[in-house]
């Protein structure tokens, strides 16, 4: 932010962030930030401890409209941003004959313009996509509404994704979660439990 402010004279506002375990220099570097809106109370406390004011604004995924309740049956498993966790979640789903749903679309790989300008990178991305163990076999969500309807219709979910957890809270779907790449899942659960 300091470089942006210096080079472009742009004010910086940080929205929807999780803050944890940063070096004191981090907070000094970010002293030029005009405003902070964090998605959990633990992050707000961390900033306050370092002399930075912030607002607590729950994640926007919790602001979705109410999903109609329906009869619940079966269970589901979603992925994780962490590869080892995703492999474990896939194994659990397979061993228990539960559908595995990735939260990102690995099936419809569409190259970006810059990928087309670097054919060697494009080849690597296509190869990586084809090697994905769930390519063409995973269940997929058509859109956000499909995902929320699915969640409100299952008895429970095992996940490693923050936004799956927030959506479970929204739809009142029981869930078990594994940790993500930051403590954001643990933080939103603490906020939800009060």
């Amino acid at each position: 932010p300091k470089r942006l402010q210096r080079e472009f004279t742009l004010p910086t506002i940080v929205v929807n962030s999780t803050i944890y375990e940063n070096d004191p220099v981090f907070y000094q570097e970010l002293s030029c930030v005009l405003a902070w809106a964090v998605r959990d109370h633990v992050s707000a406390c961390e900033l306050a401890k370092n002399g930075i004011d912030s607002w607590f604004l729950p994640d926007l995924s919790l602001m979705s409209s109410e999903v109609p309740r329906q009869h619940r049956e079966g269970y589901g498993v979603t992925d994780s941003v962490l590869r080892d966790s995703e492999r474990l979640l896939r194994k659990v789903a397979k061993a228990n004959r539960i559908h595995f749903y990735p939260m990102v679309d690995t099936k419809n790989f569409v190259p970006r313009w810059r990928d087309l300008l670097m054919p060697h990178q494009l080849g690597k991305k296509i190869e990586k996509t084809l090697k994905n163990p769930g390519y063409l076999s995973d269940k997929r969500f058509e859109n956000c509404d499909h995902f929320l309807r699915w969640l409100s219709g299952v008895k429970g979910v095992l996940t490693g994704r923050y936004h799956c957890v927030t959506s479970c809270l929204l739809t009142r779907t029981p869930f078990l979660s594994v940790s993500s790449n930051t403590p954001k899942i643990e933080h939103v659960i603490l906020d939800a439990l009060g």
Side-chain angles (χ1 to χ4, degrees):
K2 277 190 178 179
R3 194 189 95 225
L4 286 175
Q5 191 174 33
R6 201 171 37 248
E7 292 179 23
F8 303 105
T9 62
L10 294 173
T12 304
I13 298 172
V14 178
V15 179
N16 200 28
S17 58
T18 298
I19 307 296
Y20 75 104
E21 294 181 3
N22 294 296
D23 189 275
V25 175
F26 169 82
Y27 300 102
Q28 293 167 2
E29 282 290 315
L30 296 176
S31 63
C32 66
V33 171
L34 185 62
W36 288 84
V38 293
R39 60 184 174 188
D40 60 77
H41 282 98
V42 175
S43 294
C45 290
E46 178 71 15
L47 288 171
K49 194 169 66 177
N50 287 279
I52 299 173
D53 292 327
S54 65
W55 290 285
F56 166 63
L57 298 171
D59 191 81
L60 294 176
S61 61
L62 292 168
M63 305 301 170
S64 183
S65 59
E66 186 91 11
V67 178
R69 302 282 184 251
Q70 53 187 357
H71 174 72
R72 293 181 183 270
E73 57 184 47
Y75 296 91
V77 179
T78 70
D79 61 354
S80 171
V81 297
L82 302 174
R83 288 202 175 166
D84 289 344
S85 294
E86 180 171 344
R87 282 189 209 108
L88 176 65
L89 291 165
R90 280 184 184 280
K91 284 181 184 178
V92 168
K94 187 175 182 178
N96 292 283
R97 295 189 176 118
I98 299 172
H99 289 302
F100 180 86
Y101 287 85
M103 298 281 295
V104 293
D105 189 359
T106 56
K107 189 174 181 180
N108 300 314
F109 173 72
V110 177
R112 296 176 297 207
W113 280 107
R114 70 175 179 214
D115 294 332
L116 297 175
L117 298 174
M118 298 184 281
H120 64 287
Q121 291 294 335
L122 179 59
K124 287 179 186 177
K125 287 186 177 186
I126 291 171
E127 186 177 321
K128 181 180 174 186
T129 300
L130 293 173
K131 285 183 179 178
N132 181 318
Y135 185 73
L136 296 178
S137 65
D138 290 336
K139 294 282 189 178
R140 297 269 179 332
F141 301 113
E142 296 168 22
N143 53 41
C144 186
D145 289 337
H146 178 218
F147 170 63
L148 290 174
R149 281 192 313 275
W150 172 76
L151 263 185
S152 64
V154 293
K155 290 181 183 177
V157 174
L158 175 60
T159 186
R161 290 281 185 170
Y162 173 82
H163 286 103
C164 187
V165 169
T166 59
S167 297
C168 284
L169 292 169
L170 178 71
T171 59
R172 298 181 182 199
T173 302
F175 65 91
L176 291 173
S177 65
V178 296
S179 292
S180 189
N181 58 342
T182 69
K184 58 192 166 204
I185 291 176
E186 292 85 343
H187 292 179
V188 76
I189 292 170
L190 283 172
D191 282 340
L193 296 178

